[in-house]
Amino acid sequence: MVSDAESAPVFAKPVTLREVAAAAGVSVATASKALNGQGRMTADTRERIREVAQRLGFRPNHLAQSLLRRRSFTVGLLTNDTYGRFSLPLMAGVSDALVDNGVSVFLCNVEDDLRLGQLHVEAMLDKRVDGIIATGKRVDRHLPVDLSNLRVPVVYAFTQPDAGAIGLVSDDAGGARLAVEHFCRLGRRRIAHVSGPSSFEVVNTRADAYRAVLEENNLAVSEPLLGAWSEAWGHEAVARLFGGRGERPDAIFCGNDQIARGVIDALRERGVGVPDDVGVIGFDNWEIVAEATRPPLTSVDMNLASLGREAGLALLSLVGGQPAAPGIRKLPCRLVVRQSCGRPPGG
């Protein structure tokens, strides 16, 4: 008798354009042009690349083929994230999604300057980009440039989209739930929340999720402490939480990793052990901060690279003429557990 596992067909992973290029010893762009009858190269090079593709069993993506036949195989990425904190990991995801289809991505920083933004958009259109991905430093603000009536498709990622457009954001409520539920599983019962300014939509979204999880677990809900996105505010929040006579928290969920590092430093200065006395979780999983914190910081990762990849695939689909429903799509976060939370009781 043959088991289901033995009789189930095995499907090979599709060969990518990147693998064809590597096997042929050429760039992805050259491989793409060779397979699409474009670009300048010797007949021998073109034929060699085609033979490699055939030998490996490469099957071109029909959406990508449509894109490459009709357009420039370039995509513009617009951002006002001057430091690249959010836009760079997102761009890595966009590039990962498109490079196997021979599509290049170039980044333009519009800062918060309407005139500069318009200049960049006009330059992109002059270069006949196939589409534009708009991203920013917060999800509740538009970029300072109008992208609503362009002749190319636009996808928004980590910024507020125009009406009728596709927008991709991280699930902030889900991310906050991951953090607070993790504390609950660890046996923490007095969980405080320290976050950024209330003018940010994500601050209120995460605070609502924080309250909801505590109520679901029959735990006392304390009012979130809101301030700046800074280590200094983390220090000040600890002074408020531990300076009075009230019951002190045994866990602190922070709105970003900088606040969390300030919290941990302030607790250490007070002789409060992390994680033995108080567990701490941040948000963003900014590795340069989280891994350098002592102890290394557990943090919610917004999966910006995955978000960028989804944005790239969505744009590729639009350029290929595929219908796509407008609206905001929320992608899940993940909790990266390090050493700032401790172990569950008896663990």
Side-chain angles (χ1 to χ4, degrees), residues 102 183 234 312 326:
F183 275 143

Side-chain angles (χ1 to χ4, degrees), residues 66 163 167 181 215:
S66 173
E181 288 171 352
E215 290 171 358

Side-chain angles (χ1 to χ4, degrees), residues 257 260-261 264 280-282 290 293 295-299 336 338-340:
D257 292 344
R261 186 156 73 172
I264 289 177
V280 179
I281 293 179
T293 302
L297 177 66
T298 294
S299 184
V336 179
R338 296 187 178 92
Q339 299 170 30
S340 63

